[in-house]
Structure formats: structure tokens, C-alpha cells
């Protein structure tokens, strides 16, 4: 039921460079890895799925509904961009409140309950009322996940969240994402094979804008 489907997706940036070409992917519940080298088109695909970019041709669907027709898409899809901008002068809770308001959660008490829950789930409850500028790198990363989870989206899209982490931190962060993949799609992009091997059930390999391989990780491993 919770799946996203992309059909014959393409994205052409200026001067006719195809960032994506013939991308046709169906992804279903659980952790899904999007693997590919720099420039493969991962961010472009994720921006399209987050409705921040409109494809030059083709269409993306969520639960068989075209993204542009889906109701309340802001709350259905949570997105953590690669360059996540934090507002150092705000507290974590203030920032999340702003995000919740942007996502259309108009009731103040409803927002507060949601934010308290997220701060706790991401182990930020002690820091929620401190300014973001006092946060460590790991805390900012967890706040990034928290802002993407505002509104309990069915789909969580995270663009290279493990970049710059050491191997141990990467494992911890992947495990954190896995916790949030229960009952939803988590699409994780990376150029590191280990990131997908241990935590993703389904993967897609993107290279030069094309899907080179996709499917259940176990089936692909069986092929060698
Ligand atoms: P990845 O996330 O896998 O590194 P991107 O989606 O960022 O790949 O980039 C795919 C291709 O599209 C690259 O060749 C990149 O240089 C190009 N590209 C990305 N964004 C733009 C843009 N805004 N304008 C022009 N070209 C772009
Ligand atoms: P920092 O950069 O502040 O060290 P980390 O994310 O690396 O941030 O984690 C710091 C500490 O918090 C570690 O001891 C880690 O085990 C713990 N931690 C990290 N994420 C969580 C989480 N989601 N729930 C509980 N504890 C966590």
C-alpha cells in the first residue's frame, strides 16, 4: 500500500544534460537504498520525489496518486536535504514548531505534542530548548531527521545523511533510520555500499541518470 512509483522519469537541466533518463522504479515499505556515485542523479530524483523539482517529463506517484494530485503532500513526504540548513539562533523546539506550521499543522497544542514526541524519539529532549548553535554535529543530524518526521510522513527521503561520518557513526545513524522505517518508506541515498548492505531490503543503483539495477537486495546478492 505505501509505495511510490516513478514511471519513465526524466530530468533535463539546461543545455540538454540529462540528469535522469528512463527512470522507472517502484519502491515499497521499508528501508530502500539509492546507491550511486557523485553526479549519478540521486539528489535530482529525491528532489522530484519531494516535489521540490518538477520532472521535465514523466510522473511520480504515491499510492497510485500522482504526486501533484496527492492531498497534503507536505505531510506525506518528509525530506532531509543533503545541505540541511539549520537556524542557529533558534532552539530545536522553535525550529520544529516552525516546520510544523509550514506543514500546515495549525493547532498549537497539536504542534507541541508532536514536537515533544519527536524530541524524545531522537534523544534531543534535554536539548530541545537550547539554541541550535550549541548542538553537536550528531544532534544537528538528529534534528534534521526530526524535522523530516514532523507530520508522520509515510515516506521519509534522506539525501546522503551519512556523508562525513566515521564508520561507527554511520552504523549508529543507519540503525536510527531503520527504527523509523517501520510502516513507512525510507529512501536513503549514499555512495557507500556498506550503508545499504546492512540495513536496506530494497535497493536501486543509479549511474549517469539511469537505473542500472533495482530490486530486493537478497535477490541481487544471489546474482552476485
Ligand atoms: P547525485 O546526487 O547522485 O550526486 P545530482 O542529482 O546532484 O547527482 O546530479 C545529477 C547531474 O545533474 C549531475 O551531472 C549534476 O552536475 C547535474 N545537476 C544537478 N543539479 C543541477 C542543476 N541545478 N543545474 C544543472 N545541472 C545540475
Ligand atoms: P554527538 O555528535 O553529539 O556525539 P551522536 O549522534 O554521535 O552525537 O550521539 C551521541 C550519543 O548519543 C552517543 O552515545 C549515542 O549512542 C547516543 N545517541 C545517538 N543517537 C541516539 C538515539 N537516537 N537514541 C538514543 N541515543 C542516541
Amino acid at each position: 500500500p505505501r509505495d511510490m512509483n516513478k514511471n519513465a522519469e526524466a530530468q533535463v537541466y539546461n543545455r540538454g544534460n540529462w540528469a535522469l533518463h528512463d527512470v522507472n522504479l517502484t519502491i515499497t515499505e521499508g528501508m530502500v537504498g539509492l546507491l550511486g556515485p557523485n553526479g549519478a542523479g540521486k539528489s535530482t530524483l529525491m528532489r522530484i520525489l519531494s516535489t521540490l523539482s518538477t520532472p521535465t517529463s514523466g510522473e511520480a506517484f504515491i499510492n497510485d496518486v500522482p504526486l501533484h494530485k496527492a492531498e497534503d503532500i507536505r505531510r506525506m513526504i518528509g525530506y532531509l536535504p543533503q545541505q540541511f540548513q539549520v537556524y542557529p539562533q533558534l532552539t530545536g523546539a522553535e525550529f520544529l514548531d516552525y516546520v510544523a506550521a509550514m506543514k500546515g499543522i495549525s493547532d498549537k497544542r497539536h504542534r507541541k505534542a508532536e514536537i515533544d514526541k519527536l524530541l524524545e524519539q531522537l534523544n534531543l529532549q534535554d536539548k530541545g530548548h537550547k539554541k541550535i548553535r550549541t548542538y553537536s554535529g550528531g544532534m544537528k543530524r538528529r534534528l534534521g531527521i526530526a524535522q523530516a518526521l514532523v507530520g508522520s510522513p509515510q515516506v521519509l527521503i534522506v539525501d546522503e545523511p551519512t556523508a562525513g561520518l566515521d564508520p561507527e557513526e554511520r552504523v549508529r545513524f543507519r540503525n536510527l533510520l531503520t527504527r523509523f522505517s517501520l510502516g513507512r518508506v525510507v529512501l536513503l541515498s549514499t555512495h557507500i555500499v556498506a550503508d545499504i548492505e546492512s540495513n536496506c531490503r530494497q535497493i536501486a543503483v543509479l549511474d549517469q541518470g539511469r537505473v542500472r539495477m533495482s530490486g530486493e537486495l537478497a535477490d541481487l546478492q544471489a546474482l552476485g
Side-chain angles (χ1 to χ4, degrees):
R2 287 172 170 64
D3 65 28
M4 294 189 93
N5 181 311
K6 299 186 41 59
N7 242 324
E9 191 68 79
Q11 177 74 49
V12 190
Y13 287 118
N14 45 7
R15 308 217 169 271
N17 284 325
W18 291 80
L20 294 175
H21 205 92
D22 287 338
V23 172
N24 195 339
L25 272 179
T26 300
I27 59 187
T28 52
E29 200 168 305
M31 252 300 249
V32 181
L34 185 61
L35 182 70
N38 274 336
K42 304 183 296 298
S43 293
T44 302
L45 180 56
M46 291 180 134
R47 288 180 55 84
I48 289 172
L49 295 176
S50 317
T51 69
L52 290 171
S53 288
T54 308
T56 315
S57 64
E59 202 154 22
F61 300 82
I62 180 164
N63 297 340
D64 295 324
V65 179
L67 280 190
H68 68 269
K69 288 198 182 140
E71 268 176 54
D72 216 357
I73 198 74
R74 285 173 304 176
R75 268 188 265 177
M76 280 174 103
I77 299 177
Y79 174 55
L80 176 59
Q82 199 172 356
Q83 309 292 340
F84 171 55
Q85 297 298 326
V86 284
Y87 298 86
Q89 73 282 16
L90 297 183
T91 68
E94 286 166 348
F95 175 63
L96 293 176
D97 188 62
Y98 164 77
V99 172
M102 295 299 288
K103 290 192 184 186
I105 305 176
S106 51
D107 182 71
K108 217 174 157 144
R109 268 175 315 181
H110 181 179
R111 288 205 301 270
K112 180 166 184 328
E114 171 106 7
I115 289 160
D116 287 346
K117 179 191 75 183
L118 284 170
L119 288 172
E120 192 178 322
Q121 284 178 342
L122 287 143
N123 202 26
L124 288 168
Q125 61 276 49
D126 302 338
K127 273 284 190 177
H129 297 284
K130 302 248 159 58
K131 303 239 186 234
I132 296 172
R133 74 171 123 78
T134 67
Y135 287 21
S136 68
M139 286 168 192
K140 282 184 202 155
R141 235 181 286 274
R142 298 203 298 273
L143 184 65
I145 293 296
Q147 64 79 32
L149 285 169
V150 168
S152 301
Q154 294 178 12
V155 179
L156 176 64
I157 295 177
V158 281
D159 196 350
E160 297 242 21
T162 61
L165 296 186
D166 68 33
E168 194 186 311
E169 291 170 323
R170 279 213 304 273
V171 171
R172 222 164 43 216
F173 196 77
R174 286 194 313 247
N175 291 341
L176 175 69
L177 283 180
T178 303
R179 274 188 15 217
F180 291 105
S181 67
L182 205 71
R184 57 161 66 90
V185 174
V186 175
L187 183 63
L188 161 78
S189 75
T190 179
H191 58 272
I192 299 167
V193 177
D195 277 349
I196 57 156
E197 270 184 345
S198 43
N199 294 65
C200 297
R201 192 176 48 75
Q202 197 190 347
I203 68 160
V205 179
L206 208 60
D207 186 32
Q208 297 184 356
R210 287 173 190 273
V211 177
R212 302 292 163 171
M213 248 192 249
S214 72
E216 300 285 314
L217 185 58
D219 296 342
L220 296 174
Q221 280 169 334
L223 290 174

